[in-house]
């Protein structure tokens, strides 16, 4: 099976398995599909008795309505599916189950992370990864979900792209700071679930002082200054000693 289109009326059933009397055991597998908007995604219809239907479903995105209904006498294995929110099937936000013997736990959980968790304010970046590859027991699931659009948003900085398709259960977007500091609350949204990842944006530090530049060339000799004014006359010196008397003529 592949993606089942969104339902448009009140009687849409995504996949139905109905066993006729006298049929041998039927093995049915419904893995990695997207059921969005169906009133009923997967139906195991009434069978003639025990051991007529072996139905398992895993890695499916089931959003809204009844996810699995079991009218058969056999159990239905519906582990490791996404039921529309992190609380799983039959929760206030998740798709429901109907009938008896539907095994629905563990279920897929949407988680998100940032790398790095702290960036600077000068157009620095952090990669935000939304992850649907693990279940509520933190185990990696063998059957992953089909490509699903995860929406991203932030209350600080810029996020791009605003939506990204999952690959092997993971989707990524990039947060870029825009010269504003604080805590960016980055959201990853799928169906009824919003997961918030905080990223701290810090003021970028001053860069190191650069090396001292080379000494510049010696400047040209300046012009000769104007002649200063004549100074005041100095004081009269002391009278010299009387010379010796000359010889008599």
């Amino acid at each position: 099976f592949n993606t089942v289109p969104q339902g448009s009326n009140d009687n849409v059933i995504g996949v139905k398995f109905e066993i006729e009397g006298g049929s041998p055991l039927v093995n049915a597998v419904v893995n990695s599909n997207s059921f969005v908007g169906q009133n009923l995604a997967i139906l195991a219809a009434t069978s003639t008795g025990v051991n007529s239907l072996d139905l398992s479903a895993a890695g499916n995105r089931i959003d809204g309505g009844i996810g699995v209904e079991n009218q058969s006498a056999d159990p239905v294995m519906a582990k490791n599916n996404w039921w529309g929110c992190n609380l799983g099937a039959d929760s206030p936000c998740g798709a429901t189950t109907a009938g008896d013997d539907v095994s629905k736990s563990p279920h897929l959980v949407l988680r998100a992370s940032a790398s790095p968790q702290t960036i600077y304010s000068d157009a620095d970046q952090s990669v935000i990864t939304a992850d649907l590859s693990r279940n509520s027991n933190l185990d990696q699931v063998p059957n992953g979900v089909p490509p699903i659009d995860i929406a991203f948003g932030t209350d600080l900085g810029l996020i791009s792209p605003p939506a990204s398709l999952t690959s092997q259960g993971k989707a990524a977007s990039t947060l870029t700071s825009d010269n504003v500091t604080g805590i960016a609350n980055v959201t990853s949204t799928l169906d009824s679930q919003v997961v918030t990842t905080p990223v701290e944006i810090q003021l970028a530090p001053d860069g190191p002082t650069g090396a001292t530049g080379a000494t510049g060339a010696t400047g040209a000799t300046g012009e000769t200054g104007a002649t200063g004014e004549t100074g005041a006359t100095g004081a009269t010196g002391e009278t010299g000693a009387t010379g010796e008397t000359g010889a008599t003529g």
Side-chain angles (χ1 to χ4, degrees):
F1 297 96
N2 294 308
T3 299
V4 177
Q6 181 172 341
S8 58
N9 60 65
D10 293 335
N11 298 305
V12 171
I13 298 176
V15 180
K16 179 180 179 179
F17 298 93
E18 188 167 9
I19 310 302
E20 298 180 355
S23 297
L25 174 65
V26 174
N27 294 296
V29 176
V30 184
N31 288 347
S32 304
N33 299 278
S34 186
F35 299 96
V36 178
Q38 268 71 38
N39 283 5
L40 174 55
I42 302 170
L43 173 61
T46 304
S47 60
T48 57
V50 180
N51 296 326
S52 58
L53 176 63
D54 181 7
L55 173 60
S56 65
N60 298 291
R61 175 196 183 187
I62 305 172
D63 179 31
I66 300 173
V68 177
E69 181 174 346
N70 187 16
Q71 298 175 358
S72 76
D74 294 303
V76 173
M77 299 296 291
K79 299 180 178 181
N80 295 324
N81 291 291
W82 170 254
W83 298 88
C85 71
N86 280 349
L87 297 179
D90 299 316
S91 68
C93 56
T96 61
T97 61
D100 297 326
D101 218 352
V102 177
S103 182
K104 58 195 177 186
S105 183
H107 57 270
L108 294 180
V109 171
L110 177 66
R111 299 176 172 88
S113 61
S115 180
Q117 295 177 322
T118 301
I119 60 177
Y120 292 123
S121 58
D122 55 346
D124 203 0
Q125 294 184 326
S126 175
V127 176
I128 310 300
T129 302
D131 188 351
L132 262 180
S133 66
R134 295 183 180 274
N135 62 24
S136 50
N137 291 341
L138 297 178
D139 296 324
Q140 188 86 28
V141 297
N143 296 300
V145 294
I148 298 173
D149 250 336
I150 306 293
F152 295 92
T154 183
D155 60 359
L156 193 64
L158 306 172
I159 193 78
S160 182
S164 179
L165 277 175
T166 59
S167 175
Q168 298 182 334
K170 297 180 180 182
S173 189
T174 301
L175 173 71
T176 304
S177 61
D178 58 353
N179 297 315
V180 180
T181 60
I183 301 297
N185 295 296
V186 185
T187 56
S188 304
T189 303
L190 174 60
D191 300 331
S192 299
Q193 187 64 52
V194 179
V195 177
T196 301
T197 307
V199 178
E200 183 177 2
I201 302 177
Q202 298 180 344
L203 185 66
D206 293 333
T209 303
T212 302
T215 302
T218 303
T221 302
E223 294 181 1
T224 302
T227 302
E229 295 181 0
T230 301
T233 302
T236 302
E238 295 179 2
T239 301
T242 301
E244 294 181 3
T245 300
T248 301

mmCIF file of all heavy atoms in Angstrom, residues 9-34:
data_model
loop_
_atom_site.group_PDB
_atom_site.id
_atom_site.type_symbol
_atom_site.label_atom_id
_atom_site.label_comp_id
_atom_site.label_asym_id
_atom_site.label_seq_id
_atom_site.Cartn_x
_atom_site.Cartn_y
_atom_site.Cartn_z
ATOM 1 N N ASN A 9 -15.865 12.093 2.229
ATOM 2 C CA ASN A 9 -17.241 11.845 2.641
ATOM 3 C C ASN A 9 -17.251 11.107 3.965
ATOM 4 O O ASN A 9 -16.212 10.816 4.539
ATOM 5 C CB ASN A 9 -18.005 11.071 1.555
ATOM 6 C CG ASN A 9 -17.361 9.714 1.270
ATOM 7 O OD1 ASN A 9 -17.337 8.861 2.127
ATOM 8 N ND2 ASN A 9 -16.844 9.541 0.054
ATOM 9 N N ASP A 10 -18.431 10.774 4.444
ATOM 10 C CA ASP A 10 -18.562 10.205 5.784
ATOM 11 C C ASP A 10 -18.350 8.701 5.824
ATOM 12 O O ASP A 10 -18.474 8.084 6.881
ATOM 13 C CB ASP A 10 -19.952 10.531 6.349
ATOM 14 C CG ASP A 10 -20.119 12.017 6.608
ATOM 15 O OD1 ASP A 10 -19.096 12.689 6.803
ATOM 16 O OD2 ASP A 10 -21.275 12.490 6.596
ATOM 17 N N ASN A 11 -18.084 8.073 4.699
ATOM 18 C CA ASN A 11 -17.996 6.615 4.674
ATOM 19 C C ASN A 11 -16.666 6.128 4.118
ATOM 20 O O ASN A 11 -16.591 5.036 3.571
ATOM 21 C CB ASN A 11 -19.144 6.044 3.824
ATOM 22 C CG ASN A 11 -20.495 6.395 4.409
ATOM 23 O OD1 ASN A 11 -20.755 6.103 5.567
ATOM 24 N ND2 ASN A 11 -21.347 7.026 3.605
ATOM 25 N N VAL A 12 -15.646 6.950 4.217
ATOM 26 C CA VAL A 12 -14.351 6.579 3.651
ATOM 27 C C VAL A 12 -13.655 5.571 4.557
ATOM 28 O O VAL A 12 -13.529 5.770 5.760
ATOM 29 C CB VAL A 12 -13.461 7.813 3.451
ATOM 30 C CG1 VAL A 12 -12.053 7.396 3.062
ATOM 31 C CG2 VAL A 12 -14.052 8.709 2.379
ATOM 32 N N ILE A 13 -13.183 4.493 3.966
ATOM 33 C CA ILE A 13 -12.346 3.511 4.648
ATOM 34 C C ILE A 13 -11.048 3.427 3.869
ATOM 35 O O ILE A 13 -11.053 3.249 2.642
ATOM 36 C CB ILE A 13 -13.021 2.125 4.704
ATOM 37 C CG1 ILE A 13 -14.329 2.194 5.501
ATOM 38 C CG2 ILE A 13 -12.085 1.097 5.316
ATOM 39 C CD1 ILE A 13 -15.100 0.892 5.506
ATOM 40 N N GLY A 14 -9.929 3.570 4.572
ATOM 41 C CA GLY A 14 -8.647 3.516 3.889
ATOM 42 C C GLY A 14 -8.345 2.142 3.318
ATOM 43 O O GLY A 14 -8.177 1.957 2.113
ATOM 44 N N VAL A 15 -8.321 1.106 4.182
ATOM 45 C CA VAL A 15 -8.025 -0.261 3.769
ATOM 46 C C VAL A 15 -8.976 -1.189 4.515
ATOM 47 O O VAL A 15 -9.129 -1.083 5.734
ATOM 48 C CB VAL A 15 -6.568 -0.656 4.090
ATOM 49 C CG1 VAL A 15 -6.298 -2.085 3.650
ATOM 50 C CG2 VAL A 15 -5.594 0.290 3.405
ATOM 51 N N LYS A 16 -9.591 -2.122 3.795
ATOM 52 C CA LYS A 16 -10.533 -3.065 4.414
ATOM 53 C C LYS A 16 -10.124 -4.490 4.064
ATOM 54 O O LYS A 16 -9.836 -4.803 2.907
ATOM 55 C CB LYS A 16 -11.950 -2.799 3.911
ATOM 56 C CG LYS A 16 -13.001 -3.748 4.470
ATOM 57 C CD LYS A 16 -14.384 -3.409 3.926
ATOM 58 C CE LYS A 16 -15.448 -4.352 4.462
ATOM 59 N NZ LYS A 16 -16.796 -4.018 3.949
ATOM 60 N N PHE A 17 -10.089 -5.355 5.074
ATOM 61 C CA PHE A 17 -9.805 -6.768 4.872
ATOM 62 C C PHE A 17 -11.028 -7.561 5.335
ATOM 63 O O PHE A 17 -11.415 -7.494 6.504
ATOM 64 C CB PHE A 17 -8.572 -7.206 5.669
ATOM 65 C CG PHE A 17 -7.313 -6.492 5.248
ATOM 66 C CD1 PHE A 17 -6.910 -5.333 5.887
ATOM 67 C CD2 PHE A 17 -6.550 -6.977 4.201
ATOM 68 C CE1 PHE A 17 -5.758 -4.670 5.499
ATOM 69 C CE2 PHE A 17 -5.398 -6.319 3.805
ATOM 70 C CZ PHE A 17 -5.003 -5.166 4.459
ATOM 71 N N GLU A 18 -11.615 -8.319 4.393
ATOM 72 C CA GLU A 18 -12.799 -9.108 4.715
ATOM 73 C C GLU A 18 -12.562 -10.534 4.263
ATOM 74 O O GLU A 18 -12.245 -10.789 3.096
ATOM 75 C CB GLU A 18 -14.040 -8.538 4.038
ATOM 76 C CG GLU A 18 -15.326 -9.201 4.496
ATOM 77 C CD GLU A 18 -16.551 -8.430 4.061
ATOM 78 O OE1 GLU A 18 -16.412 -7.490 3.263
ATOM 79 O OE2 GLU A 18 -17.653 -8.767 4.520
ATOM 80 N N ILE A 19 -12.707 -11.470 5.179
ATOM 81 C CA ILE A 19 -12.397 -12.876 4.914
ATOM 82 C C ILE A 19 -13.691 -13.644 4.662
ATOM 83 O O ILE A 19 -14.635 -13.573 5.441
ATOM 84 C CB ILE A 19 -11.638 -13.503 6.091
ATOM 85 C CG1 ILE A 19 -10.457 -12.617 6.493
ATOM 86 C CG2 ILE A 19 -11.180 -14.908 5.733
ATOM 87 C CD1 ILE A 19 -9.469 -12.353 5.393
ATOM 88 N N GLU A 20 -13.720 -14.369 3.555
ATOM 89 C CA GLU A 20 -14.886 -15.191 3.243
ATOM 90 C C GLU A 20 -14.775 -16.537 3.930
ATOM 91 O O GLU A 20 -13.679 -17.016 4.244
ATOM 92 C CB GLU A 20 -15.003 -15.381 1.724
ATOM 93 C CG GLU A 20 -15.213 -14.091 0.954
ATOM 94 C CD GLU A 20 -15.322 -14.318 -0.540
ATOM 95 O OE1 GLU A 20 -15.127 -15.481 -0.954
ATOM 96 O OE2 GLU A 20 -15.571 -13.353 -1.275
ATOM 97 N N GLY A 21 -15.914 -17.164 4.173
ATOM 98 C CA GLY A 21 -15.924 -18.455 4.845
ATOM 99 C C GLY A 21 -15.140 -19.507 4.084
ATOM 100 O O GLY A 21 -15.190 -19.577 2.864
ATOM 101 N N GLY A 22 -14.415 -20.321 4.818
ATOM 102 C CA GLY A 22 -13.636 -21.395 4.222
ATOM 103 C C GLY A 22 -12.300 -20.990 3.680
ATOM 104 O O GLY A 22 -11.555 -21.826 3.170
ATOM 105 N N SER A 23 -11.935 -19.711 3.786
ATOM 106 C CA SER A 23 -10.649 -19.260 3.270
ATOM 107 C C SER A 23 -9.527 -19.671 4.214
ATOM 108 O O SER A 23 -9.711 -19.737 5.434
ATOM 109 C CB SER A 23 -10.643 -17.741 3.123
ATOM 110 O OG SER A 23 -11.603 -17.329 2.186
ATOM 111 N N PRO A 24 -8.348 -19.972 3.657
ATOM 112 C CA PRO A 24 -7.197 -20.255 4.532
ATOM 113 C C PRO A 24 -6.739 -18.973 5.228
ATOM 114 O O PRO A 24 -7.234 -17.887 4.946
ATOM 115 C CB PRO A 24 -6.140 -20.764 3.554
ATOM 116 C CG PRO A 24 -6.498 -20.117 2.247
ATOM 117 C CD PRO A 24 -8.004 -20.038 2.239
ATOM 118 N N LEU A 25 -5.793 -19.118 6.143
ATOM 119 C CA LEU A 25 -5.259 -17.970 6.866
ATOM 120 C C LEU A 25 -4.707 -16.940 5.886
ATOM 121 O O LEU A 25 -3.938 -17.256 4.988
ATOM 122 C CB LEU A 25 -4.148 -18.414 7.818
ATOM 123 C CG LEU A 25 -3.393 -17.296 8.540
ATOM 124 C CD1 LEU A 25 -4.315 -16.542 9.495
ATOM 125 C CD2 LEU A 25 -2.198 -17.863 9.300
ATOM 126 N N VAL A 26 -5.138 -15.675 6.055
ATOM 127 C CA VAL A 26 -4.681 -14.584 5.213
ATOM 128 C C VAL A 26 -3.695 -13.737 6.005
ATOM 129 O O VAL A 26 -4.017 -13.262 7.097
ATOM 130 C CB VAL A 26 -5.863 -13.717 4.743
ATOM 131 C CG1 VAL A 26 -5.343 -12.490 3.992
ATOM 132 C CG2 VAL A 26 -6.803 -14.525 3.865
ATOM 133 N N ASN A 27 -2.494 -13.580 5.459
ATOM 134 C CA ASN A 27 -1.487 -12.703 6.063
ATOM 135 C C ASN A 27 -1.547 -11.346 5.366
ATOM 136 O O ASN A 27 -1.375 -11.269 4.145
ATOM 137 C CB ASN A 27 -0.092 -13.297 5.922
ATOM 138 C CG ASN A 27 0.072 -14.582 6.716
ATOM 139 O OD1 ASN A 27 -0.009 -14.576 7.934
ATOM 140 N ND2 ASN A 27 0.283 -15.690 6.013
ATOM 141 N N ALA A 28 -1.792 -10.304 6.142
ATOM 142 C CA ALA A 28 -1.908 -8.967 5.567
ATOM 143 C C ALA A 28 -0.971 -8.019 6.302
ATOM 144 O O ALA A 28 -0.906 -8.036 7.536
ATOM 145 C CB ALA A 28 -3.348 -8.470 5.659
ATOM 146 N N VAL A 29 -0.248 -7.192 5.552
ATOM 147 C CA VAL A 29 0.703 -6.243 6.122
ATOM 148 C C VAL A 29 0.387 -4.856 5.554
ATOM 149 O O VAL A 29 0.306 -4.682 4.337
ATOM 150 C CB VAL A 29 2.159 -6.620 5.784
ATOM 151 C CG1 VAL A 29 3.120 -5.567 6.308
ATOM 152 C CG2 VAL A 29 2.496 -7.986 6.365
ATOM 153 N N VAL A 30 0.221 -3.878 6.446
ATOM 154 C CA VAL A 30 -0.027 -2.494 6.047
ATOM 155 C C VAL A 30 1.066 -1.643 6.683
ATOM 156 O O VAL A 30 0.968 -1.248 7.843
ATOM 157 C CB VAL A 30 -1.419 -2.012 6.492
ATOM 158 C CG1 VAL A 30 -1.672 -0.592 5.978
ATOM 159 C CG2 VAL A 30 -2.508 -2.955 6.006
ATOM 160 N N ASN A 31 2.122 -1.375 5.946
ATOM 161 C CA ASN A 31 3.271 -0.660 6.484
ATOM 162 C C ASN A 31 3.546 0.624 5.704
ATOM 163 O O ASN A 31 3.402 0.656 4.473
ATOM 164 C CB ASN A 31 4.533 -1.520 6.433
ATOM 165 C CG ASN A 31 4.514 -2.635 7.455
ATOM 166 O OD1 ASN A 31 3.696 -2.647 8.368
ATOM 167 N ND2 ASN A 31 5.430 -3.582 7.313
ATOM 168 N N SER A 32 3.948 1.681 6.439
ATOM 169 C CA SER A 32 4.477 2.920 5.850
ATOM 170 C C SER A 32 3.506 3.596 4.887
ATOM 171 O O SER A 32 3.852 3.947 3.760
ATOM 172 C CB SER A 32 5.814 2.634 5.141
ATOM 173 O OG SER A 32 6.738 2.045 6.032
ATOM 174 N N ASN A 33 2.276 3.796 5.360
ATOM 175 C CA ASN A 33 1.259 4.503 4.594
ATOM 176 C C ASN A 33 0.859 5.782 5.318
ATOM 177 O O ASN A 33 1.147 5.965 6.494
ATOM 178 C CB ASN A 33 0.021 3.632 4.409
ATOM 179 C CG ASN A 33 0.327 2.358 3.657
ATOM 180 O OD1 ASN A 33 0.391 2.343 2.441
ATOM 181 N ND2 ASN A 33 0.546 1.277 4.399
ATOM 182 N N SER A 34 0.164 6.642 4.600
ATOM 183 C CA SER A 34 -0.352 7.870 5.188
ATOM 184 C C SER A 34 -1.872 7.882 5.068
ATOM 185 O O SER A 34 -2.416 7.896 3.961
ATOM 186 C CB SER A 34 0.246 9.087 4.481
ATOM 187 O OG SER A 34 -0.142 10.279 5.115
#
